Amino acid sequence: MLAHRLEMVFIYEMAKTKIVKLDEEIIASQEFQRSAMAAKLNWLRAGVLGANDGIVSTAGLVLGVAGASASASAILVAGVAATVAGSISMAGGEYTSVSAQRDSEIASLAKERAELKAYPERELRELAWFYEQKGLSLELATKVAHELTQKDALKAHAEAELGIDSGAHVSPGQAALSSFVAFAGGSLLPLLAVTGPWTDYQIPVTVGAVVISLAITGYVGAKIGGAKSGRAILRNVVVSILTMGITYAIGSLVGTGIA
């Protein structure tokens, strides 16, 4: 009997060691790291998109003004105005959007909390039903729902039914600040390029600077999302060239018509 018990303990310890090793491999895996860092990378992704918007929109505007044969001072004023207005607009839009999302999450959690208090049995069955739809048996789904409810009922229902984390909400202020800084930072590049001392080469210098910078942001954005970078870079570059080409052509036509 003692030998049998020792054998069972040995098997248990071996299994436990194997589980710990597998857990370490899972935690070290790229997929787990990306999942764990997803929330932290959201602001970086938003920053990259904001920088893209700043680069493309400001480059299009200053080249449109430059196409109209405007003076350097006029181009500078237009570029600064575009940077300020675009940054504030991006920040305000992001703040409004994220605030609405946050308010919706808080309201949904309050409703779920009230339902858990008023109808605990129905809510337990509802949670089990969600896991049944994922392929678990009735018995196992009920057991899972019961154990999750015992630990944190609101968190379990919020994740299963609403797809949100009850313990973490997006920050409107952080999102707005990130968008403002990103757009303003992106806008500075074409603005500096088009108003630099290379007067005779301001158009090719600006186009080159914008293409290079958007290739970089496309690469960074693709890496953040775990996608292939080639398509993202090509998409960014093509959109920027089209934007600058169209606005420059319109500026040239309008400038000629006015002249």
Side-chain angles (χ1 to χ4, degrees):
M1 180 66 69
L2 179 60
H4 178 70
R5 286 185 177 180
L6 290 175
E7 182 181 359
M8 293 299 295
V9 170
F10 177 76
I11 294 175
Y12 172 78
E13 290 298 328
M14 288 293 293
K16 185 177 178 180
T17 302
K18 185 176 181 180
I19 290 174
V20 171
K21 184 178 180 181
L22 289 174
D23 287 347
E24 291 175 351
E25 292 177 358
I26 292 171
I27 293 173
S29 70
Q30 184 178 3
E31 291 79 7
F32 187 89
Q33 292 292 338
R34 185 177 298 135
S35 175
M37 294 180 66
K40 296 180 181 179
L41 291 178
N42 279 339
W43 68 268
L44 181 57
R45 185 180 292 108
V48 171
L49 294 176
N52 269 6
D53 288 343
I55 294 169
V56 174
S57 60
T58 304
L61 189 144
V62 296
L63 286 183
V65 176
S69 300
S71 64
S73 59
I75 296 174
L76 178 60
V77 170
V80 170
T83 299
V84 174
S87 300
I88 295 175
S89 176
M90 282 287 293
E94 193 71 12
Y95 185 86
T96 301
S97 174
V98 174
S99 294
Q101 178 185 343
R102 181 187 177 91
D103 292 344
S104 176
E105 289 180 355
I106 292 175
S108 297
L109 288 174
K111 180 181 178 182
E112 192 65 38
R113 189 180 292 107
E115 291 178 348
L116 283 168
K117 184 177 181 180
Y119 313 106
E121 292 185 3
R122 190 188 72 182
E123 290 299 302
L124 178 64
R125 174 56 197 144
E126 184 179 43
L127 185 59
W129 180 86
F130 274 98
Y131 288 105
E132 283 184 64
Q133 304 311 303
K134 293 181 179 294
L136 299 184
S137 65
L138 171 61
E139 292 77 15
L140 183 55
T142 302
K143 183 178 179 181
V144 169
H146 180 73
E147 291 189 4
L148 289 175
T149 299
Q150 292 284 69
K151 184 176 182 180
D152 191 332
L154 182 61
K155 181 179 177 65
H157 282 264
E159 291 179 351
E161 300 176 32
L162 308 175
I164 61 177
D165 185 351
S166 61
H169 298 290
V170 288
S171 170
Q174 183 180 8
L177 180 61
S178 175
S179 295
F180 181 92
V181 172
F183 189 97
S187 297
L188 286 177
L189 180 65
L191 182 59
L192 293 174
V194 80
T195 57
W198 38 80
T199 308
D200 296 335
Y201 305 99
Q202 62 180 187
I203 304 303
V205 168
T206 302
V207 172
V210 168
V211 168
I212 292 173
S213 60
L214 285 177
I216 294 173
T217 58
Y219 175 83
V220 173
K223 289 302 179 182
I224 291 173
K228 293 182 178 180
S229 58
R231 182 176 296 178
I233 292 173
L234 181 62
R235 181 169 55 243
N236 269 11
V237 170
V238 169
V239 169
S240 67
I241 291 175
L242 285 174
T243 301
M244 291 184 291
I246 292 171
T247 54
Y248 183 80
I250 293 174
S252 299
L253 291 173
V254 173
T256 301
I258 294 175

